[in-house]
Amino acid sequence: MDQPELITQLQLGDESAFTKLVDEYQDMVYNTALGIVQQADDADDITQEVFIQVYQSISSFKGDSKFSTWLYRIAVSKALDHEKKKKRKKRFGFVQSLFGGDGEEQVHPVEFDHPGIQAEKKESAAALFRALKQIPDNQRIVFSLHKLEGQSNREIAAIMNTSLQAVESLMSRAKASLKKELNDYYQKNIT
Amino acid sequence: MNKHENINKLIDDALKSADDIKRAAVKPFLLTRIHARMNKGKESLWEKAGWLIGRPAVAFTGLCMILLINITVVMVNKPSATDYAVERSSQQQVDEFSYTVATIYEIDNTQQNDK
C-alpha cells in the first residue's frame, strides 16, 4: 500500500490502514516528542495522542503538504502543549506547597539519557540536552528536528510553517544560545 | 590545556554529541495502548458531565454562584422599617378589635344566654 492509498484508506476509516500508519511512523513521532520533552513516558503519551489526533482528523488532511510534514507538525505542537501543561502543574504545586498542602506531584528535572547516544558520548549529550531545555521553544524545535531527526532546513521551514531564512536564523541563534548555556554550566561545574 | 580551552572543547564535544544519534525504540504494544486510550475516550454523557462538574474551577465557580444567589435573595427579601411598621399596625388592629375565634364564640354564647 503506497502513501496516497494509505491516506485514502485511512480517510475511509480502514482499521488496517491505521495499524500500518502506526507501524510506519511510530519511531518518527516518538523520537520527535522525546527530543522536545526529554522523558520516555511523556514521549510515549504524546505519541499516543498524536495518532489519536491523526485518526480523528485525517479527513482534514488535504495533501497540501507532505504527510510526514503534517505528522511532524502535530507531534511538535502536542509536545509543546505537554510541556506547557507540565510547567503549569509545577507552578500549581509550588503555590499549593506555599499554603501548606502536599502540592501536585513535583516535577524535578532529571538528567536525560537518550538511548540512541553512543556510550562514550553520554556525558556530553546529557549536558547538551540540559542546555536544550533552557533555550526558547522555537530554537529548540529547529535544533531537535535538525540534529535528532535529520530534517533539512527546508523541511523544518515547512513543518514550522515559516520561511527558510527564518529557520536558518533560528538555527544559528539556537547554536549561540546552546554555547552560552553550556559555557555557564561548565564554568560552574569544572574546577 | 587551561580551563578556558578545556571548556571550549567540552562545549564542542557536547554540540557534536548528537551528530550520529540513533532513534530510540518505542515501547512495545503501542497500537494496543492507542486503542485502549481511544475506547477510554468514549465516555457517556453522564461521565462527561461528572468530569466537568468535578473540575475544581467549575466546582468553585458553581459554589460561588450558589452563594451569590443566596446572598442576593436574602438582601432582596430583607424586611425594611416600613414593612415592620405595617406589620405592627396590623397586629395592633387585631389586638384592638380582638378578631379571634374564641371571642366570636364568646359573643355567640352571650347572645344565646341573653335570650
Side-chain angles (χ1 to χ4, degrees), chain A residues 4 32 36-37 67 87 108 111-112 158 171-172 178 187 190:
Chain A
T32 305
I36 295 171
V37 298
F67 181 71
K87 276 181 194 162
H108 296 294
E111 200 149 277
F112 175 55
M171 182 63 86
S172 81
L178 283 172
Q187 289 284 359
I190 300 286

Side-chain angles (χ1 to χ4, degrees), chain A residues 103-163:
Chain A
E104 286 278 302
E105 177 194 347
Q106 289 289 323
V107 193
H108 296 294
V110 285
E111 200 149 277
F112 175 55
D113 177 16
H114 194 293
I117 298 276
Q118 291 167 6
E120 64 270 21
K121 292 180 177 174
K122 291 267 183 202
E123 209 176 316
S124 306
L128 175 69
F129 280 112
R130 192 184 302 108
L132 258 176
K133 276 271 184 192
Q134 311 300 320
I135 67 173
D137 285 347
N138 48 7
Q139 294 179 20
R140 180 152 50 116
I141 291 161
V142 168
F143 190 86
S144 298
L145 287 173
H146 178 67
K147 283 275 181 183
L148 311 180
E149 279 299 298
Q151 295 294 303
S152 69
N153 285 356
R154 195 171 294 279
E155 283 164 326
I156 296 170
I159 293 164
M160 294 181 75
N161 218 359
T162 187
S163 67

Side-chain angles (χ1 to χ4, degrees), chain A residues 52 56, chain B residues 34-44 47-48:
Chain A
I52 292 170
Q56 288 167 344
Chain B
I34 292 171
H35 280 304
R37 202 162 173 159
M38 280 163 117
N39 291 331
K40 198 180 157 194
K42 288 174 189 165
E43 292 168 331
S44 73
E47 279 171 324
K48 277 181 190 167

Side-chain angles (χ1 to χ4, degrees), chain B residues 103-115:
Chain B
T103 321
I104 293 165
Y105 276 121
E106 275 167 22
I107 294 165
D108 243 18
N109 287 336
T110 327
Q111 282 172 349
Q112 276 175 1
N113 289 339
D114 289 348
K115 282 176 189 174

Side-chain angles (χ1 to χ4, degrees), chain A residues 31 44 55 116 121 147 149, chain B residues 19 22-24 33 38:
Chain A
N31 280 275
D44 192 74
Y55 185 78
K121 292 180 177 174
K147 283 275 181 183
E149 279 299 298
Chain B
D19 278 355
K22 288 187 174 63
R23 271 182 168 172
R33 277 176 280 137
M38 280 163 117

